[in-house]
Amino acid sequence: MEMAVHCNSASLSCKTWRNRGPTLLPARLCSLPQTPFSFRSDTLKLSTCSWDKVASAVASEESAVGSSSSGTDVFNLTYLEGNSWLWDISGVRVLVDPILVGNLDFGIPWLYDAAKKFLKNFQLTDLPQVDCLLITQSLDDHCHLKTLKPLSEMSPNLRVIATPNAKPLLDPLFRNVTYLEPGQESEVEAENGSKVRIRVTAGPVLGPPWQRPENGYLVISPRGQLTLYYEPHCVYNEDFLEKEHADIVITPVIKQLLPNFTLVSGQEDAVRLAKLLHAKFIVPMKSGDLDSKGFLASIIEGEGTIESFKELLSKELPDAKTLEPTPGEPLQIPPP
């Protein structure tokens, strides 16, 4: 059970997939192509993101598109709280583990019920058109059926890349799902011709030891200039990753603990991960910063802080930069 809170746009200089015009413009502000999503502009509400923040994100995005057309790949990362992200990689838009409809309760709201702190009014209709839905795990905080059911009704042919563990949940909803095991990869192409490569790494085993692991992902930009790594529990197979490289690592750094059980790792494990991948930028997730209630919420404890993580990181990777995302504000990551 993992929780995080941020809404960020991170502009990264990276590989290009394809330029799709202003990617993070709200539907009310621009006219978007009608595939694979078609949203009514009159339904857009910007929730708690202020106009200044949106304008800043749009300016950043337009700059990123210009960079990609001039030969530089660009990542724009928008954090939607929890485990949810919207990534724009030189025009290829990837929606990750979205929780945009209702609360997170794992079907047991009397034991655990969590709501976002900042993007309380953000809705599916606030999204721009998306090229791919990326699902890391099969549990509710990643594969959120309250969100995915209406999303599938809006766009049943949306390209989906997911862990095979989520097959029973996704098959009834979407028509175009690619299930990938660790070591496998696939390509996502945007309307403008840009292409992003997505390679699967091994994540946590959330069941008996014989169950297949959930997924982490390496996202490689169109020109191969930058690679991003994402796995939302900071659980990884060192042997699997030792030959990999990622310029940008998005990971939780504050541990979440139940009595005698680690829900989400971080701290020294996050440092080890960054060092293993030779990361230049680490974007720490505050995976627990939700408005939560219920018995399970009351016994989850956090361990460590972002500051203690930075101290540990400075000893192992002194040149790496920790870039803290701020909910609702663009996070710009300069080229290495």
Side-chain angles (χ1 to χ4, degrees):
M1 173 185 316
E2 174 192 332
M3 303 160 282
V5 170
H6 331 303
C7 160
N8 306 308
S9 282
S11 268
L12 304 177
S13 201
C14 336
K15 318 177 181 172
T16 341
W17 279 95
R18 60 151 90 144
N19 300 323
R20 173 157 43 246
T23 48
L24 298 181
L25 274 173
R28 185 181 286 171
L29 303 180
C30 67
S31 175
L32 293 171
Q34 296 302 307
T35 48
F37 275 129
S38 178
F39 295 133
R40 292 183 304 152
S41 60
D42 60 345
T43 63
L44 177 63
K45 298 171 185 173
L46 293 178
S47 68
T48 57
C49 292
S50 67
W51 168 252
D52 288 342
K53 293 177 181 177
V54 173
S56 177
V58 168
S60 168
E61 178 115 1
E62 289 174 339
S63 173
V65 170
S67 297
S68 66
S69 63
S70 65
T72 302
D73 286 341
V74 176
F75 272 79
N76 279 281
L77 310 179
T78 301
Y79 191 48
L80 302 177
E81 296 193 66
N83 298 303
S84 306
W85 294 84
L86 178 63
W87 299 340
D88 187 301
I89 309 132
S90 296
V92 181
R93 294 190 184 118
V94 180
L95 181 64
V96 185
D97 290 351
I99 299 177
L100 298 173
V101 179
N103 285 2
L104 171 64
D105 61 22
F106 298 90
I108 49 171
W110 56 93
L111 287 179
Y112 183 86
D113 187 22
K116 295 183 177 182
K117 287 186 175 180
F118 301 98
L119 301 180
K120 296 178 182 293
N121 300 315
F122 194 94
Q123 302 175 12
L124 282 174
T125 50
D126 295 342
L127 290 170
Q129 93 179 26
V130 174
D131 298 295
C132 180
L133 169 66
L134 192 65
I135 299 295
T136 59
Q137 300 182 15
S138 54
L139 295 184
D140 200 38
D141 53 339
H142 306 273
C143 192
H144 190 243
L145 290 182
K146 291 179 187 176
T147 297
L148 297 183
K149 285 179 179 178
L151 179 60
S152 68
E153 293 168 1
M154 295 165 68
S155 187
N157 294 315
L158 175 65
R159 174 77 187 282
V160 181
I161 293 177
T163 168
N165 294 334
K167 184 176 175 64
L169 302 173
L170 296 175
D171 272 359
L173 301 178
F174 296 96
R175 301 170 186 165
N176 185 16
V177 185
T178 302
Y179 296 105
L180 296 179
E181 304 266 8
Q184 297 178 327
E185 65 178 61
S186 188
E187 196 173 72
V188 176
E189 182 174 358
E191 218 172 56
N192 64 3
S194 290
K195 298 177 182 179
V196 171
R197 196 152 43 98
I198 297 177
R199 184 184 308 147
V200 179
T201 65
V205 174
L206 301 179
W210 55 85
Q211 182 170 309
R212 67 166 59 89
E214 305 288 345
N215 286 357
Y217 294 103
L218 288 160
V219 182
I220 304 159
S221 61
R223 293 179 176 86
Q225 294 170 354
L226 280 180
T227 297
L228 176 147
Y229 172 84
Y230 180 66
E231 194 289 312
H233 279 219
C234 193
V235 175
Y236 49 91
N237 184 313
E238 292 194 29
D239 293 335
F240 195 97
L241 290 182
E242 63 181 359
K243 296 181 181 178
E244 300 290 354
H245 162 268
D247 303 280
I248 307 139
V249 170
I250 302 176
T251 183
V253 301
I254 299 171
K255 295 182 179 182
Q256 294 177 54
L257 307 173
L258 282 171
N260 302 314
F261 184 76
T262 299
L263 289 172
V264 177
S265 194
Q267 294 295 290
E268 68 279 357
D269 293 323
V271 171
R272 193 176 302 115
L273 171 65
K275 188 175 181 180
L276 188 65
L277 291 171
H278 308 285
K280 298 179 178 70
F281 305 104
I282 296 89
V283 181
M285 296 173 61
K286 299 175 183 176
S287 307
D289 196 8
L290 295 174
D291 285 328
S292 57
K293 59 185 178 180
F295 174 72
L296 288 180
S298 71
I299 62 173
I300 296 173
E301 294 187 358
E303 180 181 296
T305 64
I306 290 181
E307 290 306 315
S308 62
F309 166 77
K310 288 180 179 179
E311 277 188 45
L312 293 170
L313 183 69
S314 66
K315 298 174 184 177
E316 298 292 336
L317 276 180
D319 295 331
K321 296 180 180 178
T322 301
L323 302 175
E324 296 183 49
T326 301
E329 295 184 5
L331 170 65
Q332 282 200 332
I333 302 183

